[in-house]
């Protein structure tokens, strides 16, 4: 079965997200752990979480993906900015244990002129503080487009962060199709080659999630502007090859395309129709 979902609003809680996912024929979903601007998080509602777990029990849901606020910068040169990222991720990971055994994704950060090596050092420092042995959540580093001074535009940078982190059995990778295409990995003409490269540098066993987005910009543009599936420079054919790749079966796919629910429902329908293993 194709495990697929999309980004949903968390404002009405977990049960509501799961119900919405079912309504659009998804069997997973992504959500922001808190408001990406004000950083406010909703109080944990144990009643909601209980209802959620009961609801998804027999529905074949795969792991869900929590997304850290994209406005955090663990690689900032400003200690206050780094400290905010640290406190928020620490709190997010504690809260994630109310919904154990899921995934938590974050953008590695931007080194803002300090250089990649310094940026990586700061990200590792944060991970070595926030990860804890008892956590059941796998923390994912998202592959980035390389906009500005973003870290995580190459598989090598991500691998270096993983290698330098102590509890790195808690780490994985979320591959964003728009980002890596913008970042210079040609998933349109040479997807097998890109997968081989990922496997050689990082190891495919680290890949826990795929963000499936088309790109508004051409190959290697380092822009990071998502487009609806089939509406951009990557195209539907490349997406269909990705979901059907034998090496990527069971890895959940999340849409972050510029859509409302109806649009997401339609994209899920198209991708499910083009999935060969139903
Ligand atoms: Fe992201
Ligand atoms: Fe993404
Ligand atoms: Zn993006």
């Amino acid at each position: 079965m194709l495990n697929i979902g999309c980004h949903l609003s968390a404002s009405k809680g977990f049960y509501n997200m799961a119900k919405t996912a079912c309504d659009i024929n998804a069997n997973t979903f992504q959500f922001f752990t808190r408001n990406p601007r004000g950083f406010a998080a909703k109080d944990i509602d144990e009643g909601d979480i209980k209802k959620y777990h009961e609801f998804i029990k027999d529905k074949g849901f795969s792991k869900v993906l929590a997304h850290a606020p994209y406005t955090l910068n663990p690689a900032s040169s400003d200690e206050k900015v780094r400290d905010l990222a640290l406190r928020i991720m620490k709190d997010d990971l504690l809260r994630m244990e109310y919904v154990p055994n899921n995934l938590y994704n974050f953008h590695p950060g931007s080194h803002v002129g300090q250089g990649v090596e310094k940026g990586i050092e700061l990200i590792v420092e944060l991970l070595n503080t926030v990860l804890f042995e008892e956590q059941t959540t796998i923390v994912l580093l998202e592959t980035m487009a390389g906009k500005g001074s973003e870290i995580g535009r190459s598989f090598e940078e991500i691998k270096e962060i993983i290698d330098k982190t102590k509890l790195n059995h808690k780490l994985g990778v979320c591959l964003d199709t728009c980002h890596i295409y913008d970042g210079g990995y040609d998933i349109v003409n040479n997807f097998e080659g890109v997968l081989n490269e990922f496997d050689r540098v990082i190891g495919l066993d680290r890949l826990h999630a795929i963000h499936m987005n088309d790109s508004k910009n051409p190959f290697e543009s380092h822009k990071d502007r998502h487009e609806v599936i089939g509406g951009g420079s990557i195209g539907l054919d490349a997406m269909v090859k990705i979901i059907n790749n034998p090496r990527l079966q069971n890895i959940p796919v999340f849409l972050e395309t510029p859509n409302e629910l109806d649009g997401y429902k339609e994209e899920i329908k198209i991708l499910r129709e083009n999935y060969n293993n139903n």
Side-chain angles (χ1 to χ4, degrees):
M1 186 167 85
L2 177 62
N3 293 317
I4 188 166
C6 66
H7 189 89
L8 295 177
S9 161
S11 63
K12 291 185 187 139
F14 278 95
Y15 171 65
N16 185 272
M17 287 191 280
K19 255 181 48 191
T20 304
C22 281
D23 287 346
I24 58 172
N25 204 16
N27 66 329
T28 184
F29 54 87
Q30 171 177 276
F31 61 98
F32 283 131
T33 54
R34 57 187 72 221
N35 184 320
R37 298 277 161 203
F39 303 118
K42 271 168 56 85
D43 287 337
I44 297 279
D45 176 348
E46 298 201 39
D48 169 55
I49 287 172
K50 194 162 168 252
K51 246 168 88 182
Y52 163 70
H53 281 127
E54 269 158 28
F55 179 77
I56 62 166
K57 212 163 41 193
D58 48 8
K59 295 201 169 54
F61 261 63
S62 82
K63 286 178 193 278
V64 298
L65 181 56
H67 198 308
Y70 52 82
T71 39
L72 297 184
N73 187 8
S76 173
S77 55
D78 182 338
E79 200 187 326
K80 284 201 214 79
V81 174
R82 289 201 306 274
D83 188 57
L84 177 69
L86 185 139
R87 281 184 290 118
I88 283 178
M89 283 179 63
K90 209 171 189 170
D91 185 48
D92 278 353
L93 288 179
L94 290 175
R95 296 161 61 94
M96 285 298 288
E97 292 304 314
Y98 285 89
V99 282
N101 301 305
N102 284 301
L103 307 166
Y104 178 81
N105 173 63
F106 77 107
H107 295 181
S110 297
H111 65 69
V112 290
Q114 304 175 92
V116 172
E117 284 312 310
K118 180 68 187 172
I120 287 178
E121 190 188 300
L122 294 169
I123 295 161
V124 169
E125 206 176 292
L126 169 130
L127 287 170
N128 281 338
T129 311
V130 300
L131 299 181
F132 56 104
E133 190 57 66
E134 299 77 18
Q135 73 180 70
T136 61
T137 307
I138 300 291
V139 174
L140 307 184
L141 295 140
E142 181 165 354
T143 58
M144 302 309 292
K147 192 173 52 165
S149 64
E150 266 174 359
I151 295 173
R153 61 182 277 183
S154 74
F155 298 159
E156 282 80 3
E157 289 176 7
I158 290 191
K159 167 69 171 164
E160 193 179 334
I161 296 168
I162 293 173
D163 279 351
K164 289 183 169 163
T165 300
K166 282 191 216 121
L167 297 179
N168 63 17
H169 55 294
K170 308 289 183 190
L171 291 180
V173 178
C174 172
L175 187 120
D176 187 307
T177 55
C178 167
H179 297 177
I180 66 169
Y181 192 61
D182 276 20
Y185 290 97
D186 192 354
I187 56 172
V188 173
N189 299 302
N190 187 19
F191 184 64
E192 280 303 320
V194 173
L195 262 196
N196 289 341
E197 181 74 358
F198 187 101
D199 195 32
R200 184 182 66 78
V201 176
I202 302 176
L204 271 175
D205 54 331
R206 291 277 185 189
L207 183 59
H208 289 264
I210 294 171
H211 279 167
M212 183 154 279
N213 305 304
D214 215 323
S215 174
K216 281 194 197 298
N217 292 291
F219 178 61
E220 231 173 349
S221 57
H222 302 294
K223 285 270 185 13
D224 187 5
R225 299 275 316 279
H226 301 187
E227 184 51 281
V228 296
I229 301 297
S233 56
I234 300 175
L236 179 63
D237 285 357
M239 305 295 186
V240 167
K241 277 190 198 137
I242 293 170
I243 58 171
N244 284 299
N245 191 289
R247 290 193 275 175
L248 302 179
Q249 297 311 296
N250 299 318
I251 296 175
V253 171
F254 301 89
L255 303 166
E256 306 176 299
T257 43
N259 271 313
E260 302 293 326
L261 270 186
D262 280 355
Y264 280 134
K265 187 177 181 180
E266 185 59 24
E267 290 186 340
I268 290 169
K269 180 169 174 269
I270 291 168
L271 290 168
R272 286 206 188 281
E273 281 169 0
N274 282 284
Y275 184 65
N276 300 329
N277 262 330
N278 277 308

